[in-house]
Amino acid sequence: LKQKERTQTLNDQEKQRLREIERITQQLVQQDRNVTLSALAQLETPKMIVPINDFAKEKVVETVTNSVLHAYDKFKDKAPMLVVENFWTDTALSRADDLKDTIETARKQVVKKLVAKGVNEKEAKKWADQHLGVTWDIGHISSLRNAGLSDEELKKITIKETQKLGQAGLIRHAHVWDNFGFHSAHLPLGTANIPAEEILEELAKTDFRGRII
């Protein structure tokens, strides 16, 4: 009987020890959980979906900057010019404001990295301005007609879009052709309804000295 009592006592002691171990373990798990949650709260929420223009701007700036700097390292002042063209207006970077922001941001990045290479800031800015710009395609911007614009509305918007880029000194090439605003017809000028004459007049008012193709 005494042996049985001692066994029962030992069992009770073991149970108490196990309960204490369980309590400490739960406490440590809770502490670890709190630390983890606190650390996660400091992190930026992952962006699963972002606007296409924001994504495109970020990637184009990165790609263009790296490409232009590679050209500088290899060719210096003889490096080819890099231009970004607007595409159909239902795609990213198709409007003047988006292109302007993208190219100006890329130019700043190029200047910053050229200065880090030891280039004078003024010379770096001059080089970036000369080697990075926009190809303005008037046939592509005219696809705004798909939004239901009238001839007069389309004319006003395309001229205004041209002014924004022209006045910013970003246009290096102009693609000039005609269409009816619905698809890529690439018709000769004057055979459809793009206000090419007015657009070219706006370009002439700026410092545009690029090629008209």
Side-chain angles (χ1 to χ4, degrees), residues 27-65:
Q27 184 179 18
L28 291 174
V29 169
Q30 183 60 40
Q31 289 177 351
D32 184 62
R33 179 175 181 274
N34 291 339
V35 170
T36 301
L37 290 175
S38 178
L40 289 174
Q42 305 302 315
L43 298 176
E44 182 180 355
T45 303
K47 295 179 179 178
M48 304 302 292
I49 300 176
V50 296
I52 184 62
N53 262 331
D54 293 345
F55 179 81
K57 285 179 185 178
E58 177 185 347
K59 295 305 178 183
V60 169
V61 167
E62 178 183 350
T63 301
V64 164
T65 298

PDB file of all heavy atoms in Angstrom, residues 27-65:
ATOM      1  N   GLN A  27       3.617  30.315 -22.871  1.00  0.00           N
ATOM      2  CA  GLN A  27       4.043  31.690 -22.652  1.00  0.00           C
ATOM      3  C   GLN A  27       5.087  32.111 -23.683  1.00  0.00           C
ATOM      4  O   GLN A  27       5.023  33.206 -24.252  1.00  0.00           O
ATOM      5  CB  GLN A  27       4.620  31.838 -21.239  1.00  0.00           C
ATOM      6  CG  GLN A  27       4.997  33.271 -20.874  1.00  0.00           C
ATOM      7  CD  GLN A  27       5.530  33.369 -19.458  1.00  0.00           C
ATOM      8  OE1 GLN A  27       5.929  32.373 -18.854  1.00  0.00           O
ATOM      9  NE2 GLN A  27       5.532  34.563 -18.915  1.00  0.00           N
ATOM     10  N   LEU A  28       6.042  31.200 -23.947  1.00  0.00           N
ATOM     11  CA  LEU A  28       7.082  31.491 -24.938  1.00  0.00           C
ATOM     12  C   LEU A  28       6.493  31.607 -26.340  1.00  0.00           C
ATOM     13  O   LEU A  28       6.895  32.466 -27.130  1.00  0.00           O
ATOM     14  CB  LEU A  28       8.151  30.391 -24.901  1.00  0.00           C
ATOM     15  CG  LEU A  28       9.029  30.357 -23.641  1.00  0.00           C
ATOM     16  CD1 LEU A  28       9.936  29.138 -23.671  1.00  0.00           C
ATOM     17  CD2 LEU A  28       9.854  31.639 -23.524  1.00  0.00           C
ATOM     18  N   VAL A  29       5.542  30.740 -26.650  1.00  0.00           N
ATOM     19  CA  VAL A  29       4.888  30.779 -27.965  1.00  0.00           C
ATOM     20  C   VAL A  29       4.151  32.100 -28.149  1.00  0.00           C
ATOM     21  O   VAL A  29       4.212  32.719 -29.207  1.00  0.00           O
ATOM     22  CB  VAL A  29       3.916  29.588 -28.124  1.00  0.00           C
ATOM     23  CG1 VAL A  29       3.035  29.779 -29.355  1.00  0.00           C
ATOM     24  CG2 VAL A  29       4.681  28.284 -28.221  1.00  0.00           C
ATOM     25  N   GLN A  30       3.466  32.553 -27.087  1.00  0.00           N
ATOM     26  CA  GLN A  30       2.731  33.812 -27.159  1.00  0.00           C
ATOM     27  C   GLN A  30       3.684  34.991 -27.331  1.00  0.00           C
ATOM     28  O   GLN A  30       3.427  35.913 -28.118  1.00  0.00           O
ATOM     29  CB  GLN A  30       1.883  34.011 -25.899  1.00  0.00           C
ATOM     30  CG  GLN A  30       1.016  35.263 -25.905  1.00  0.00           C
ATOM     31  CD  GLN A  30       0.028  35.270 -27.053  1.00  0.00           C
ATOM     32  OE1 GLN A  30      -0.561  34.231 -27.375  1.00  0.00           O
ATOM     33  NE2 GLN A  30      -0.163  36.414 -27.687  1.00  0.00           N
ATOM     34  N   GLN A  31       4.810  34.935 -26.618  1.00  0.00           N
ATOM     35  CA  GLN A  31       5.811  36.004 -26.740  1.00  0.00           C
ATOM     36  C   GLN A  31       6.370  36.045 -28.158  1.00  0.00           C
ATOM     37  O   GLN A  31       6.529  37.113 -28.755  1.00  0.00           O
ATOM     38  CB  GLN A  31       6.932  35.783 -25.730  1.00  0.00           C
ATOM     39  CG  GLN A  31       6.535  36.039 -24.274  1.00  0.00           C
ATOM     40  CD  GLN A  31       7.655  35.728 -23.309  1.00  0.00           C
ATOM     41  OE1 GLN A  31       8.689  35.170 -23.691  1.00  0.00           O
ATOM     42  NE2 GLN A  31       7.457  36.076 -22.045  1.00  0.00           N
ATOM     43  N   ASP A  32       6.669  34.851 -28.680  1.00  0.00           N
ATOM     44  CA  ASP A  32       7.202  34.768 -30.043  1.00  0.00           C
ATOM     45  C   ASP A  32       6.177  35.275 -31.050  1.00  0.00           C
ATOM     46  O   ASP A  32       6.516  35.967 -32.019  1.00  0.00           O
ATOM     47  CB  ASP A  32       7.575  33.321 -30.360  1.00  0.00           C
ATOM     48  CG  ASP A  32       8.230  33.192 -31.723  1.00  0.00           C
ATOM     49  OD1 ASP A  32       9.307  33.791 -31.923  1.00  0.00           O
ATOM     50  OD2 ASP A  32       7.662  32.501 -32.597  1.00  0.00           O
ATOM     51  N   ARG A  33       4.914  34.933 -30.812  1.00  0.00           N
ATOM     52  CA  ARG A  33       3.839  35.397 -31.700  1.00  0.00           C
ATOM     53  C   ARG A  33       3.733  36.911 -31.671  1.00  0.00           C
ATOM     54  O   ARG A  33       3.591  37.564 -32.711  1.00  0.00           O
ATOM     55  CB  ARG A  33       2.518  34.762 -31.272  1.00  0.00           C
ATOM     56  CG  ARG A  33       1.307  35.177 -32.104  1.00  0.00           C
ATOM     57  CD  ARG A  33       0.069  34.399 -31.681  1.00  0.00           C
ATOM     58  NE  ARG A  33      -1.082  34.770 -32.474  1.00  0.00           N
ATOM     59  CZ  ARG A  33      -1.884  35.810 -32.185  1.00  0.00           C
ATOM     60  NH1 ARG A  33      -1.636  36.563 -31.123  1.00  0.00           N
ATOM     61  NH2 ARG A  33      -2.922  36.089 -32.965  1.00  0.00           N
ATOM     62  N   ASN A  34       3.826  37.494 -30.485  1.00  0.00           N
ATOM     63  CA  ASN A  34       3.737  38.953 -30.359  1.00  0.00           C
ATOM     64  C   ASN A  34       4.897  39.645 -31.062  1.00  0.00           C
ATOM     65  O   ASN A  34       4.728  40.680 -31.716  1.00  0.00           O
ATOM     66  CB  ASN A  34       3.709  39.352 -28.883  1.00  0.00           C
ATOM     67  CG  ASN A  34       2.423  38.941 -28.195  1.00  0.00           C
ATOM     68  OD1 ASN A  34       1.407  38.720 -28.846  1.00  0.00           O
ATOM     69  ND2 ASN A  34       2.465  38.823 -26.873  1.00  0.00           N
ATOM     70  N   VAL A  35       6.107  39.061 -30.922  1.00  0.00           N
ATOM     71  CA  VAL A  35       7.285  39.633 -31.593  1.00  0.00           C
ATOM     72  C   VAL A  35       7.115  39.562 -33.106  1.00  0.00           C
ATOM     73  O   VAL A  35       7.405  40.519 -33.832  1.00  0.00           O
ATOM     74  CB  VAL A  35       8.564  38.880 -31.155  1.00  0.00           C
ATOM     75  CG1 VAL A  35       9.747  39.312 -32.038  1.00  0.00           C
ATOM     76  CG2 VAL A  35       8.872  39.160 -29.696  1.00  0.00           C
ATOM     77  N   THR A  36       6.619  38.418 -33.588  1.00  0.00           N
ATOM     78  CA  THR A  36       6.423  38.235 -35.030  1.00  0.00           C
ATOM     79  C   THR A  36       5.391  39.222 -35.578  1.00  0.00           C
ATOM     80  O   THR A  36       5.607  39.855 -36.618  1.00  0.00           O
ATOM     81  CB  THR A  36       5.972  36.797 -35.331  1.00  0.00           C
ATOM     82  OG1 THR A  36       6.956  35.881 -34.858  1.00  0.00           O
ATOM     83  CG2 THR A  36       5.772  36.599 -36.825  1.00  0.00           C
ATOM     84  N   LEU A  37       4.268  39.356 -34.867  1.00  0.00           N
ATOM     85  CA  LEU A  37       3.220  40.274 -35.306  1.00  0.00           C
ATOM     86  C   LEU A  37       3.712  41.714 -35.290  1.00  0.00           C
ATOM     87  O   LEU A  37       3.377  42.506 -36.176  1.00  0.00           O
ATOM     88  CB  LEU A  37       1.986  40.128 -34.405  1.00  0.00           C
ATOM     89  CG  LEU A  37       1.203  38.825 -34.549  1.00  0.00           C
ATOM     90  CD1 LEU A  37       0.081  38.764 -33.507  1.00  0.00           C
ATOM     91  CD2 LEU A  37       0.630  38.696 -35.953  1.00  0.00           C
ATOM     92  N   SER A  38       4.513  42.060 -34.297  1.00  0.00           N
ATOM     93  CA  SER A  38       5.059  43.416 -34.210  1.00  0.00           C
ATOM     94  C   SER A  38       5.990  43.691 -35.380  1.00  0.00           C
ATOM     95  O   SER A  38       5.962  44.776 -35.974  1.00  0.00           O
ATOM     96  CB  SER A  38       5.809  43.592 -32.889  1.00  0.00           C
ATOM     97  OG  SER A  38       6.385  44.877 -32.806  1.00  0.00           O
ATOM     98  N   ALA A  39       6.824  42.697 -35.723  1.00  0.00           N
ATOM     99  CA  ALA A  39       7.745  42.859 -36.850  1.00  0.00           C
ATOM    100  C   ALA A  39       6.986  42.973 -38.168  1.00  0.00           C
ATOM    101  O   ALA A  39       7.309  43.806 -39.024  1.00  0.00           O
ATOM    102  CB  ALA A  39       8.709  41.675 -36.893  1.00  0.00           C
ATOM    103  N   LEU A  40       5.953  42.152 -38.341  1.00  0.00           N
ATOM    104  CA  LEU A  40       5.163  42.194 -39.574  1.00  0.00           C
ATOM    105  C   LEU A  40       4.426  43.521 -39.721  1.00  0.00           C
ATOM    106  O   LEU A  40       4.244  44.019 -40.841  1.00  0.00           O
ATOM    107  CB  LEU A  40       4.150  41.048 -39.584  1.00  0.00           C
ATOM    108  CG  LEU A  40       4.720  39.646 -39.782  1.00  0.00           C
ATOM    109  CD1 LEU A  40       3.625  38.603 -39.630  1.00  0.00           C
ATOM    110  CD2 LEU A  40       5.379  39.522 -41.150  1.00  0.00           C
ATOM    111  N   ALA A  41       4.027  44.101 -38.579  1.00  0.00           N
ATOM    112  CA  ALA A  41       3.306  45.381 -38.620  1.00  0.00           C
ATOM    113  C   ALA A  41       4.186  46.500 -39.164  1.00  0.00           C
ATOM    114  O   ALA A  41       3.687  47.508 -39.674  1.00  0.00           O
ATOM    115  CB  ALA A  41       2.802  45.739 -37.224  1.00  0.00           C
ATOM    116  N   GLN A  42       5.507  46.324 -39.058  1.00  0.00           N
ATOM    117  CA  GLN A  42       6.429  47.348 -39.546  1.00  0.00           C
ATOM    118  C   GLN A  42       6.676  47.239 -41.051  1.00  0.00           C
ATOM    119  O   GLN A  42       7.209  48.165 -41.662  1.00  0.00           O
ATOM    120  CB  GLN A  42       7.782  47.234 -38.810  1.00  0.00           C
ATOM    121  CG  GLN A  42       7.673  47.295 -37.300  1.00  0.00           C
ATOM    122  CD  GLN A  42       7.017  48.567 -36.808  1.00  0.00           C
ATOM    123  OE1 GLN A  42       7.330  49.660 -37.276  1.00  0.00           O
ATOM    124  NE2 GLN A  42       6.089  48.430 -35.856  1.00  0.00           N
ATOM    125  N   LEU A  43       6.296  46.103 -41.631  1.00  0.00           N
ATOM    126  CA  LEU A  43       6.532  45.886 -43.051  1.00  0.00           C
ATOM    127  C   LEU A  43       5.426  46.504 -43.895  1.00  0.00           C
ATOM    128  O   LEU A  43       4.274  46.582 -43.476  1.00  0.00           O
ATOM    129  CB  LEU A  43       6.610  44.390 -43.354  1.00  0.00           C
ATOM    130  CG  LEU A  43       7.747  43.612 -42.673  1.00  0.00           C
ATOM    131  CD1 LEU A  43       7.610  42.128 -43.009  1.00  0.00           C
ATOM    132  CD2 LEU A  43       9.103  44.128 -43.110  1.00  0.00           C
ATOM    133  N   GLU A  44       5.801  46.947 -45.094  1.00  0.00           N
ATOM    134  CA  GLU A  44       4.809  47.479 -46.034  1.00  0.00           C
ATOM    135  C   GLU A  44       3.953  46.337 -46.561  1.00  0.00           C
ATOM    136  O   GLU A  44       4.456  45.253 -46.877  1.00  0.00           O
ATOM    137  CB  GLU A  44       5.503  48.176 -47.198  1.00  0.00           C
ATOM    138  CG  GLU A  44       4.557  48.805 -48.199  1.00  0.00           C
ATOM    139  CD  GLU A  44       5.291  49.488 -49.330  1.00  0.00           C
ATOM    140  OE1 GLU A  44       6.531  49.548 -49.283  1.00  0.00           O
ATOM    141  OE2 GLU A  44       4.620  49.961 -50.262  1.00  0.00           O
ATOM    142  N   THR A  45       2.668  46.575 -46.632  1.00  0.00           N
ATOM    143  CA  THR A  45       1.758  45.554 -47.133  1.00  0.00           C
ATOM    144  C   THR A  45       2.091  45.222 -48.586  1.00  0.00           C
ATOM    145  O   THR A  45       2.215  46.129 -49.418  1.00  0.00           O
ATOM    146  CB  THR A  45       0.297  46.034 -47.053  1.00  0.00           C
ATOM    147  OG1 THR A  45      -0.002  46.374 -45.698  1.00  0.00           O
ATOM    148  CG2 THR A  45      -0.654  44.948 -47.530  1.00  0.00           C
ATOM    149  N   PRO A  46       2.291  43.947 -48.904  1.00  0.00           N
ATOM    150  CA  PRO A  46       2.603  43.584 -50.297  1.00  0.00           C
ATOM    151  C   PRO A  46       1.501  44.060 -51.247  1.00  0.00           C
ATOM    152  O   PRO A  46       0.320  43.931 -50.950  1.00  0.00           O
ATOM    153  CB  PRO A  46       2.670  42.047 -50.244  1.00  0.00           C
ATOM    154  CG  PRO A  46       2.935  41.721 -48.815  1.00  0.00           C
ATOM    155  CD  PRO A  46       2.238  42.778 -48.020  1.00  0.00           C
ATOM    156  N   LYS A  47       1.922  44.615 -52.381  1.00  0.00           N
ATOM    157  CA  LYS A  47       0.962  45.087 -53.366  1.00  0.00           C
ATOM    158  C   LYS A  47       0.729  43.986 -54.392  1.00  0.00           C
ATOM    159  O   LYS A  47       1.569  43.735 -55.248  1.00  0.00           O
ATOM    160  CB  LYS A  47       1.470  46.357 -54.037  1.00  0.00           C
ATOM    161  CG  LYS A  47       1.603  47.536 -53.087  1.00  0.00           C
ATOM    162  CD  LYS A  47       2.134  48.773 -53.802  1.00  0.00           C
ATOM    163  CE  LYS A  47       2.247  49.953 -52.852  1.00  0.00           C
ATOM    164  NZ  LYS A  47       2.803  51.144 -53.521  1.00  0.00           N
ATOM    165  N   MET A  48      -0.405  43.342 -54.281  1.00  0.00           N
ATOM    166  CA  MET A  48      -0.723  42.264 -55.201  1.00  0.00           C
ATOM    167  C   MET A  48      -1.207  42.802 -56.540  1.00  0.00           C
ATOM    168  O   MET A  48      -0.981  42.203 -57.583  1.00  0.00           O
ATOM    169  CB  MET A  48      -1.792  41.355 -54.588  1.00  0.00           C
ATOM    170  CG  MET A  48      -1.408  40.796 -53.220  1.00  0.00           C
ATOM    171  SD  MET A  48       0.138  39.848 -53.253  1.00  0.00           S
ATOM    172  CE  MET A  48      -0.356  38.444 -54.221  1.00  0.00           C
ATOM    173  N   ILE A  49      -1.890  43.964 -56.488  1.00  0.00           N
ATOM    174  CA  ILE A  49      -2.405  44.583 -57.716  1.00  0.00           C
ATOM    175  C   ILE A  49      -2.057  46.065 -57.689  1.00  0.00           C
ATOM    176  O   ILE A  49      -2.335  46.756 -56.709  1.00  0.00           O
ATOM    177  CB  ILE A  49      -3.929  44.409 -57.832  1.00  0.00           C
ATOM    178  CG1 ILE A  49      -4.297  42.918 -57.859  1.00  0.00           C
ATOM    179  CG2 ILE A  49      -4.457  45.109 -59.080  1.00  0.00           C
ATOM    180  CD1 ILE A  49      -5.785  42.657 -57.879  1.00  0.00           C
ATOM    181  N   VAL A  50      -1.422  46.554 -58.745  1.00  0.00           N
ATOM    182  CA  VAL A  50      -1.092  47.974 -58.847  1.00  0.00           C
ATOM    183  C   VAL A  50      -1.556  48.479 -60.206  1.00  0.00           C
ATOM    184  O   VAL A  50      -1.648  47.711 -61.167  1.00  0.00           O
ATOM    185  CB  VAL A  50       0.427  48.229 -58.699  1.00  0.00           C
ATOM    186  CG1 VAL A  50       0.917  47.829 -57.321  1.00  0.00           C
ATOM    187  CG2 VAL A  50       1.213  47.490 -59.781  1.00  0.00           C
ATOM    188  N   PRO A  51      -1.865  49.769 -60.317  1.00  0.00           N
ATOM    189  CA  PRO A  51      -2.267  50.325 -61.618  1.00  0.00           C
ATOM    190  C   PRO A  51      -1.173  50.095 -62.654  1.00  0.00           C
ATOM    191  O   PRO A  51       0.019  50.231 -62.347  1.00  0.00           O
ATOM    192  CB  PRO A  51      -2.453  51.820 -61.305  1.00  0.00           C
ATOM    193  CG  PRO A  51      -2.757  51.864 -59.839  1.00  0.00           C
ATOM    194  CD  PRO A  51      -1.925  50.767 -59.231  1.00  0.00           C
ATOM    195  N   ILE A  52      -1.559  49.753 -63.859  1.00  0.00           N
ATOM    196  CA  ILE A  52      -0.598  49.414 -64.907  1.00  0.00           C
ATOM    197  C   ILE A  52       0.354  50.568 -65.197  1.00  0.00           C
ATOM    198  O   ILE A  52       1.545  50.343 -65.453  1.00  0.00           O
ATOM    199  CB  ILE A  52      -1.340  48.983 -66.202  1.00  0.00           C
ATOM    200  CG1 ILE A  52      -0.338  48.531 -67.267  1.00  0.00           C
ATOM    201  CG2 ILE A  52      -2.210  50.096 -66.730  1.00  0.00           C
ATOM    202  CD1 ILE A  52       0.486  47.331 -66.871  1.00  0.00           C
ATOM    203  N   ASN A  53      -0.132  51.813 -65.137  1.00  0.00           N
ATOM    204  CA  ASN A  53       0.753  52.942 -65.404  1.00  0.00           C
ATOM    205  C   ASN A  53       1.840  53.065 -64.345  1.00  0.00           C
ATOM    206  O   ASN A  53       2.993  53.362 -64.661  1.00  0.00           O
ATOM    207  CB  ASN A  53      -0.047  54.250 -65.489  1.00  0.00           C
ATOM    208  CG  ASN A  53      -0.354  54.642 -66.922  1.00  0.00           C
ATOM    209  OD1 ASN A  53       0.383  54.318 -67.843  1.00  0.00           O
ATOM    210  ND2 ASN A  53      -1.442  55.344 -67.122  1.00  0.00           N
ATOM    211  N   ASP A  54       1.479  52.840 -63.081  1.00  0.00           N
ATOM    212  CA  ASP A  54       2.466  52.917 -62.009  1.00  0.00           C
ATOM    213  C   ASP A  54       3.528  51.842 -62.180  1.00  0.00           C
ATOM    214  O   ASP A  54       4.730  52.097 -62.018  1.00  0.00           O
ATOM    215  CB  ASP A  54       1.785  52.754 -60.641  1.00  0.00           C
ATOM    216  CG  ASP A  54       0.860  53.913 -60.310  1.00  0.00           C
ATOM    217  OD1 ASP A  54       0.953  54.964 -60.984  1.00  0.00           O
ATOM    218  OD2 ASP A  54       0.034  53.773 -59.388  1.00  0.00           O
ATOM    219  N   PHE A  55       3.085  50.634 -62.498  1.00  0.00           N
ATOM    220  CA  PHE A  55       4.024  49.530 -62.709  1.00  0.00           C
ATOM    221  C   PHE A  55       4.923  49.818 -63.909  1.00  0.00           C
ATOM    222  O   PHE A  55       6.142  49.635 -63.853  1.00  0.00           O
ATOM    223  CB  PHE A  55       3.247  48.232 -62.930  1.00  0.00           C
ATOM    224  CG  PHE A  55       4.125  47.041 -63.189  1.00  0.00           C
ATOM    225  CD1 PHE A  55       4.735  46.372 -62.140  1.00  0.00           C
ATOM    226  CD2 PHE A  55       4.332  46.584 -64.488  1.00  0.00           C
ATOM    227  CE1 PHE A  55       5.550  45.264 -62.374  1.00  0.00           C
ATOM    228  CE2 PHE A  55       5.139  45.486 -64.735  1.00  0.00           C
ATOM    229  CZ  PHE A  55       5.757  44.817 -63.680  1.00  0.00           C
ATOM    230  N   ALA A  56       4.311  50.286 -65.000  1.00  0.00           N
ATOM    231  CA  ALA A  56       5.072  50.562 -66.227  1.00  0.00           C
ATOM    232  C   ALA A  56       6.093  51.675 -66.010  1.00  0.00           C
ATOM    233  O   ALA A  56       7.233  51.585 -66.463  1.00  0.00           O
ATOM    234  CB  ALA A  56       4.115  50.934 -67.358  1.00  0.00           C
ATOM    235  N   LYS A  57       5.688  52.739 -65.318  1.00  0.00           N
ATOM    236  CA  LYS A  57       6.617  53.838 -65.053  1.00  0.00           C
ATOM    237  C   LYS A  57       7.843  53.348 -64.305  1.00  0.00           C
ATOM    238  O   LYS A  57       8.988  53.663 -64.660  1.00  0.00           O
ATOM    239  CB  LYS A  57       5.921  54.935 -64.248  1.00  0.00           C
ATOM    240  CG  LYS A  57       4.951  55.795 -65.030  1.00  0.00           C
ATOM    241  CD  LYS A  57       4.297  56.825 -64.123  1.00  0.00           C
ATOM    242  CE  LYS A  57       3.235  57.610 -64.850  1.00  0.00           C
ATOM    243  NZ  LYS A  57       2.566  58.591 -63.963  1.00  0.00           N
ATOM    244  N   GLU A  58       7.596  52.581 -63.258  1.00  0.00           N
ATOM    245  CA  GLU A  58       8.707  52.087 -62.430  1.00  0.00           C
ATOM    246  C   GLU A  58       9.679  51.242 -63.258  1.00  0.00           C
ATOM    247  O   GLU A  58      10.899  51.436 -63.196  1.00  0.00           O
ATOM    248  CB  GLU A  58       8.154  51.255 -61.275  1.00  0.00           C
ATOM    249  CG  GLU A  58       9.233  50.639 -60.391  1.00  0.00           C
ATOM    250  CD  GLU A  58       8.675  49.725 -59.322  1.00  0.00           C
ATOM    251  OE1 GLU A  58       7.438  49.748 -59.089  1.00  0.00           O
ATOM    252  OE2 GLU A  58       9.466  48.985 -58.706  1.00  0.00           O
ATOM    253  N   LYS A  59       9.128  50.316 -64.041  1.00  0.00           N
ATOM    254  CA  LYS A  59       9.978  49.406 -64.810  1.00  0.00           C
ATOM    255  C   LYS A  59      10.655  50.103 -65.980  1.00  0.00           C
ATOM    256  O   LYS A  59      11.812  49.809 -66.303  1.00  0.00           O
ATOM    257  CB  LYS A  59       9.149  48.215 -65.298  1.00  0.00           C
ATOM    258  CG  LYS A  59       8.615  47.337 -64.173  1.00  0.00           C
ATOM    259  CD  LYS A  59       9.740  46.846 -63.276  1.00  0.00           C
ATOM    260  CE  LYS A  59       9.224  46.008 -62.132  1.00  0.00           C
ATOM    261  NZ  LYS A  59      10.318  45.586 -61.208  1.00  0.00           N
ATOM    262  N   VAL A  60       9.951  51.022 -66.630  1.00  0.00           N
ATOM    263  CA  VAL A  60      10.552  51.743 -67.758  1.00  0.00           C
ATOM    264  C   VAL A  60      11.670  52.658 -67.271  1.00  0.00           C
ATOM    265  O   VAL A  60      12.740  52.739 -67.888  1.00  0.00           O
ATOM    266  CB  VAL A  60       9.483  52.544 -68.535  1.00  0.00           C
ATOM    267  CG1 VAL A  60      10.149  53.491 -69.537  1.00  0.00           C
ATOM    268  CG2 VAL A  60       8.542  51.595 -69.260  1.00  0.00           C
ATOM    269  N   VAL A  61      11.447  53.338 -66.171  1.00  0.00           N
ATOM    270  CA  VAL A  61      12.502  54.196 -65.606  1.00  0.00           C
ATOM    271  C   VAL A  61      13.737  53.363 -65.302  1.00  0.00           C
ATOM    272  O   VAL A  61      14.869  53.754 -65.639  1.00  0.00           O
ATOM    273  CB  VAL A  61      12.008  54.907 -64.323  1.00  0.00           C
ATOM    274  CG1 VAL A  61      13.184  55.525 -63.565  1.00  0.00           C
ATOM    275  CG2 VAL A  61      10.999  55.992 -64.674  1.00  0.00           C
ATOM    276  N   GLU A  62      13.537  52.217 -64.677  1.00  0.00           N
ATOM    277  CA  GLU A  62      14.662  51.348 -64.325  1.00  0.00           C
ATOM    278  C   GLU A  62      15.391  50.857 -65.575  1.00  0.00           C
ATOM    279  O   GLU A  62      16.628  50.926 -65.661  1.00  0.00           O
ATOM    280  CB  GLU A  62      14.143  50.154 -63.523  1.00  0.00           C
ATOM    281  CG  GLU A  62      15.211  49.156 -63.135  1.00  0.00           C
ATOM    282  CD  GLU A  62      14.646  47.946 -62.400  1.00  0.00           C
ATOM    283  OE1 GLU A  62      13.454  47.971 -62.026  1.00  0.00           O
ATOM    284  OE2 GLU A  62      15.406  46.971 -62.211  1.00  0.00           O
ATOM    285  N   THR A  63      14.632  50.366 -66.549  1.00  0.00           N
ATOM    286  CA  THR A  63      15.232  49.808 -67.766  1.00  0.00           C
ATOM    287  C   THR A  63      15.926  50.883 -68.598  1.00  0.00           C
ATOM    288  O   THR A  63      17.058  50.693 -69.065  1.00  0.00           O
ATOM    289  CB  THR A  63      14.146  49.114 -68.617  1.00  0.00           C
ATOM    290  OG1 THR A  63      13.541  48.085 -67.841  1.00  0.00           O
ATOM    291  CG2 THR A  63      14.740  48.520 -69.879  1.00  0.00           C
ATOM    292  N   VAL A  64      15.250  51.992 -68.785  1.00  0.00           N
ATOM    293  CA  VAL A  64      15.810  53.085 -69.589  1.00  0.00           C
ATOM    294  C   VAL A  64      17.078  53.643 -68.942  1.00  0.00           C
ATOM    295  O   VAL A  64      18.085  53.893 -69.622  1.00  0.00           O
ATOM    296  CB  VAL A  64      14.755  54.198 -69.771  1.00  0.00           C
ATOM    297  CG1 VAL A  64      15.396  55.483 -70.250  1.00  0.00           C
ATOM    298  CG2 VAL A  64      13.686  53.746 -70.764  1.00  0.00           C
ATOM    299  N   THR A  65      17.039  53.840 -67.638  1.00  0.00           N
ATOM    300  CA  THR A  65      18.203  54.364 -66.936  1.00  0.00           C
ATOM    301  C   THR A  65      19.407  53.435 -67.110  1.00  0.00           C
ATOM    302  O   THR A  65      20.513  53.889 -67.447  1.00  0.00           O
ATOM    303  CB  THR A  65      17.900  54.535 -65.430  1.00  0.00           C
ATOM    304  OG1 THR A  65      16.836  55.471 -65.273  1.00  0.00           O
ATOM    305  CG2 THR A  65      19.122  55.053 -64.683  1.00  0.00           C
TER     306      THR A  65
END
